[in-house]
């Protein structure tokens, strides 16, 4: 190798060594960047000191009026429907005790009178024997004979005082005839239907002149002198309402007339759809009261005053029983009792006068979280 080549190689090696040494020195002396200091997150929330109040516990709800009783009129016998003093027309009204339906029964009545006449002959035929063989019972049966009237229901059968007397009457077929006539009287009563209450025809399927068959629906009647209002109440508010409570039912008419009602029953189950409990209020309107089945009304329930409660927005309550309070600029969870709902807010108890309560929803809020109360 020539001297010139050797010098070149040595020069290259020297330059590489100097460059490596310089790079190492620069990296060694490079200042280390300071690590970033993580700042703790502070949540800004709305909160205020507990403010206790006494509130009126009256509750007002919307409800719908229903008939206290609704019956389907149907007949157990067949025949032509005859006219009565109450026309079978939808919307027609009637009074308790009025005849609503009469099925033609002249033939049945004639047969029954014939049975009673034959029964009277049977009694008359045994009276002479009773006078001789059962002298002590004669006056009893003679008095019964005089009471029998073919146009009236049979009187009660006299008491039978001995087995001999029973055997004698049975041998003459008197007891069989008596109960056969009683059965015919029961059947005849089925040809007439009388109004069980003051009411109106809600619908009519068969009018006078139509032929009715056993079990056929003639119409539907609703009671008008006793109505019910169904009110749906949240469970937390339903606890203040009891059966027997007096209420005010206010109509939506221009004069907002009020009618006194009474809580007659309270459901023991929660409706799965609305999550409410049904309260049933009975009202007995007078003739001049303008309130009708199907109408919407307001029902006011009067309750005792709620003392020392705090009103909070619903969003401030978590899991239906907790609120957040602020202590030493940190969140603390506190269990409370919801006393009553009030639209978009709750009345609660379970906090102290020194508590600072968070009045809004805290997203992902948890105990110990640092907070700042904003004004």
């Amino acid at each position: 190798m020539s001297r010139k080549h050797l010098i070149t190689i040595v020069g290259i090696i020297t330059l590489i060594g100097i460059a490596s040494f310089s790079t190492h020195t620069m990296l060694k002396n490079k200042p280390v960047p300071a690590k970033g200091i993580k700042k703790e997150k502070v949540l800004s929330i709305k909160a205020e000191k507990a403010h206790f109040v006494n509130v009126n516990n009256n509750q007002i709800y919307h409800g719908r009026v229903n008939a206290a009783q609704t019956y389907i009129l149907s007949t157990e016998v067949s025949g032509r429907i005859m006219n009565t003093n109450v026309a079978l027309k939808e919307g027609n009204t009637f009074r308790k005790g009025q005849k609503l339906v009469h099925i033609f029964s002249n033939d049945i009545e004639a047969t029954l009178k014939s049975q009673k006449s034959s029964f009277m002959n049977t009694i008359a035929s045994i009276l002479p024997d009773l006078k001789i063989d059962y002298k002590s019972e004669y006056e009893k049966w003679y008095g019964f004979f005089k009471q029998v009237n073919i146009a009236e229901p049979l009187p009660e059968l006299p008491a039978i005082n001995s087995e001999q007397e029973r055997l004698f009457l049975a041998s003459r077929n008197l007891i069989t005839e008596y109960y056969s006539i009683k059965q015919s009287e029961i059947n005849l009563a089925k040809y007439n239907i009388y109004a069980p209450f003051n009411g109106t025809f809600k619908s009519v399927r068969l009018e006078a002149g139509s032929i009715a068959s056993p079990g056929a629906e003639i119409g539907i009647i609703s009671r008008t002198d006793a109505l019910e209002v169904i009110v749906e109440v949240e469970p937390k508010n339903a606890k203040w309402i009891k059966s027997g409570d007096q209420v005010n039912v206010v109509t939506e008419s221009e004069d907002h007339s009020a009618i006194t009602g009474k809580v007659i029953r309270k459901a023991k189950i929660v409706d799965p759809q609305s999550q409410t409990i049904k309260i049933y209020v009975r009202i007995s309107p007078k003739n001049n009261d303008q309130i009708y089945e199907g109408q919407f009304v307001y029902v006011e329930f009067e309750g005792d005053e709620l003392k020392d409660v705090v009103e909070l927005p619903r969003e401030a309550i978590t899991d239906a029983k907790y609120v957040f309070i602020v202590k030493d600029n940190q969140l603390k969870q506190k269990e409370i009792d919801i006393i009553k709902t009030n639209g978009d807010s709750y009345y609660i108890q379970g906090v102290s006068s020194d508590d600072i309560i968070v009045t809004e929803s805290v997203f992902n809020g948890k105990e110990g979280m640092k907070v700042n109360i904003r004004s």
Side-chain angles (χ1 to χ4, degrees):
M1 179 182 294
S2 67
R3 180 182 179 88
K4 183 179 180 181
H5 286 163
L6 183 62
I7 293 172
T8 302
I9 292 171
V10 171
I12 292 172
I13 292 172
T14 302
L15 289 174
I16 292 172
I18 293 171
S20 298
F21 177 77
S22 299
T23 302
H24 175 72
T25 303
M26 290 174 63
L27 290 175
K28 184 178 180 180
N29 295 329
K30 183 180 179 181
V32 179
K35 291 184 178 181
I37 301 174
K38 187 177 180 180
K39 294 184 178 180
E40 187 175 2
K41 184 178 180 181
V42 178
L43 184 67
S44 177
I45 50 97
K46 288 172 62 177
E48 60 184 33
K49 200 168 185 180
H51 176 61
F52 292 93
V53 294
N54 298 332
V55 297
N56 189 313
N57 196 19
N58 289 0
Q59 304 183 64
I60 299 178
Y61 292 96
H62 212 215
R64 189 179 64 182
V65 179
N66 294 275
Q69 292 174 286
T70 299
Y71 289 171
I72 297 176
L73 291 182
S74 60
T75 176
E76 298 180 63
V77 296
S78 61
R80 185 177 299 279
I81 300 175
M82 309 301 290
N83 285 311
T84 66
N85 291 332
V86 182
L88 283 170
K89 296 288 185 181
E90 185 175 327
N92 216 358
T93 59
F94 50 80
R95 304 293 297 174
K96 182 178 180 179
Q98 283 188 295
K99 187 186 292 186
L100 302 180
V101 179
H102 172 57
I103 308 296
F104 181 79
S105 59
N106 290 4
D107 52 342
I108 307 299
E109 291 176 18
T111 301
L112 181 58
K113 287 179 180 179
S114 176
Q115 285 181 277
K116 290 180 180 178
S117 178
S118 177
F119 181 63
M120 291 178 70
N121 288 336
T122 300
I123 301 173
S125 68
I126 67 171
L127 285 176
D129 292 334
L130 284 170
K131 193 170 185 179
I132 295 171
D133 298 331
Y134 303 94
K135 187 178 296 185
S136 61
E137 310 297 338
Y138 173 79
E139 290 297 331
K140 174 181 68 177
W141 285 102
Y142 180 64
F144 175 71
F145 172 77
K146 291 194 296 184
Q147 287 181 317
V148 176
N149 185 330
I150 63 172
E152 300 291 336
L154 283 182
E156 288 295 321
L157 197 67
I160 300 174
N161 299 320
S162 67
E163 281 301 313
Q164 291 81 4
E165 181 184 4
R166 186 185 303 278
L167 287 171
F168 173 75
L169 296 173
S171 67
R172 300 301 180 91
N173 217 32
L174 184 140
I175 297 176
T176 300
E177 286 188 42
Y178 177 83
Y179 285 107
S180 177
I181 294 172
K182 294 298 288 185
Q183 180 62 50
S184 295
E185 289 179 342
I186 292 171
N187 289 338
L188 179 61
K190 296 175 181 179
Y191 284 78
N192 297 294
I193 301 176
Y194 295 89
F197 43 66
N198 298 339
T200 184
F201 285 104
K202 194 171 183 178
S203 66
V204 173
R205 294 177 64 91
L206 297 176
E207 297 185 2
S210 302
I211 302 296
S213 57
E217 180 182 321
I218 297 174
I220 300 176
I221 58 174
S222 291
R223 189 170 183 176
T224 55
D225 59 354
L227 302 172
E228 286 183 1
V229 181
I230 302 177
V231 180
E232 297 183 355
V233 181
E234 290 181 291
K236 291 187 181 299
N237 290 348
K239 66 183 178 182
W240 302 104
I241 301 171
K242 301 180 292 296
S243 293
D245 285 353
Q246 298 291 320
V247 301
N248 289 321
V249 179
V250 182
T251 65
E252 294 183 335
S253 58
E254 292 182 359
D255 59 351
H256 298 289
S257 55
I259 301 171
T260 301
K262 182 180 180 180
V263 177
I264 57 169
R265 62 186 185 277
K266 176 180 172 181
K268 295 295 184 181
I269 58 174
V270 173
D271 185 278
Q273 300 297 324
S274 63
Q275 288 298 296
T276 57
I277 292 175
K278 290 184 178 180
I279 308 293
Y280 298 84
V281 174
R282 173 67 61 86
I283 52 178
S284 300
K286 299 180 176 59
N287 291 333
N288 57 341
D289 289 330
Q290 301 298 310
I291 187 166
Y292 308 99
E293 180 183 355
Q295 185 177 4
F296 284 98
V297 294
Y298 293 100
V299 181
E300 182 179 8
F301 300 89
E302 295 183 1
D304 298 329
E305 186 179 47
L306 298 179
K307 296 184 179 295
D308 298 326
V309 293
V310 176
E311 184 175 11
L312 287 179
R314 290 196 179 204
E315 62 187 56
I317 312 294
T318 59
D319 297 331
K321 62 178 181 177
Y322 295 107
V323 294
F324 281 115
I325 63 172
V326 179
K327 189 172 184 180
D328 298 329
N329 292 328
Q330 291 182 333
L331 288 181
K332 300 291 183 183
Q333 197 173 54
K334 192 165 191 178
E335 187 171 353
I336 50 89
D337 294 320
I338 297 176
I339 304 302
K340 180 187 173 186
T341 59
N342 182 39
D344 293 330
S345 64
Y346 286 127
Y347 291 116
I348 70 162
Q349 288 180 340
V351 294
S352 66
S353 58
D354 296 328
D355 286 337
I356 299 174
I357 308 172
V358 178
T359 58
E360 63 181 355
S361 175
V362 181
F363 182 70
N364 288 334
K366 58 184 178 180
E367 285 203 352
M369 181 181 287
K370 290 284 188 179
V371 292
N372 176 41
I373 300 175
R374 67 177 184 269
S375 55

